Each structure stands twice: as C-alpha cells, then as structure tokens.
Amino acid sequence: MGAKIQLGHCFEWQYTVPQRATVPELYHDTPFCRDMPDVLATGYLVGMMELACLHGLMPFMDWPREQSLGTMVNFRHLAPTPPGLTLTIRGEVTEVEGNRVRFRVEAWDDVDKVCEGEHERCLIDPARFAARVARKQAVPTDRR
C-alpha cells in the first residue's frame, strides 16, 4: 500500500442527494415501494457512507492499483432526507489491523444528523481480486 494508514485520521465528504436515491426511485421495480415516502433510501445511504470511507482512504492508497472493498456495515438511519439536500459525512479511522481498516462514521443533512455507525474496509490488490472472481465465474452453474 501507499502511505501507512493513520489511526485517528479524520475526513469529510459531501454528496447532494439525487432524486434517483429515494425509496420510490431506487426500488422502482417493486410496486409497493413506489408508494413509499420520497426520501433517501437506507440502502443508498449505506453506499454513501462506504464511499465517504473510501474517500478517506485515498491519501493512503496508490489508486487505482490499490483499492478497498467494504466488508462490514453497522449503521443506524436516524432521520429522513429529501432529495436536493446535501449530506456531510464525517469519519475517523478507529482501527487498522493488517489489510482491514475500521471507521466510525456519521452523516448530517442540512437539518439533522441522519446516520451514525461503523464501517470496515479491506485493502485489496485489484488484479488478484479480479483473478479470484474469474475463478468463481468459471465454476459450472450446476456446482454454484
């Protein structure tokens, strides 16, 4: 990896919530979801929390030759966010063990704290990871 990941490293990332991230839009192919509130979907929010942590790791990686993948999420979605508001996501590296990095993360929209929790990412070599995926794809479908 590039530079040594620093315990306690803090970061911030912002993202404006698009219409496509709302429950009715994200799950548009599920009829009962089209009638749900027009607010940020929890599934999309989890993705934004992960991306903020990836952004926080960028100073320590030789991108794109070094990357990371999410391996654990533990978030509480605390308040609704309508499209058009901006999320400000703040995080801190709380643990580094080998190729695993753990974060404490929280998100605020323009009004409320909307999410808090923990996330873990695993640092990977993309070429080795792609080879592993290719081996899995080569397994005959009757053995999957």
Side-chain angles (χ1 to χ4, degrees), residues 13 41-52 73 75 89 121:
W13 189 63
T42 301
Y44 202 95
L45 174 60
V46 167
M48 294 302 94
M49 300 294 274
E50 284 196 81
L51 287 179
V73 294
F75 297 125
I89 303 171
R121 300 190 70 76

Side-chain angles (χ1 to χ4, degrees), residues 26-71:
L26 187 61
Y27 305 109
H28 62 87
D29 56 348
T30 305
F32 59 84
C33 288
R34 289 193 298 259
D35 296 327
M36 293 183 73
D38 191 31
V39 295
L40 177 62
T42 301
Y44 202 95
L45 174 60
V46 167
M48 294 302 94
M49 300 294 274
E50 284 196 81
L51 287 179
C53 292
L54 173 57
H55 170 77
L57 283 177
M58 286 298 197
F60 305 103
M61 294 191 303
D62 181 15
W63 187 270
R65 292 184 310 172
E66 299 171 326
Q67 296 183 17
S68 70
L69 296 172
T71 54

Side-chain angles (χ1 to χ4, degrees), residues 3 65 98 108 110 136 139:
R65 292 184 310 172
W108 296 77
D110 299 323
K136 196 169 196 175
V139 174

Side-chain angles (χ1 to χ4, degrees), residues 57-138:
L57 283 177
M58 286 298 197
F60 305 103
M61 294 191 303
D62 181 15
W63 187 270
R65 292 184 310 172
E66 299 171 326
Q67 296 183 17
S68 70
L69 296 172
T71 54
M72 186 277 296
V73 294
N74 182 16
F75 297 125
R76 290 180 355 134
H77 194 164
L78 305 169
T81 301
L85 295 188
T86 298
L87 293 177
T88 299
I89 303 171
R90 295 181 186 97
E92 178 182 358
V93 174
T94 59
E95 186 178 334
V96 179
E97 184 178 319
N99 65 343
R100 295 190 183 279
V101 183
R102 193 165 279 213
F103 305 86
R104 183 174 346 148
V105 196
E106 63 183 29
W108 296 77
D109 62 21
D110 299 323
V111 179
D112 291 314
K113 183 176 188 178
V114 298
C115 188
E116 64 185 11
E118 296 177 316
H119 179 47
E120 182 181 89
R121 300 190 70 76
C122 184
L123 304 171
I124 65 159
D125 172 332
R128 284 183 49 207
F129 189 82
R132 184 176 172 192
V133 171
R135 284 191 303 273
K136 196 169 196 175
Q137 289 173 320

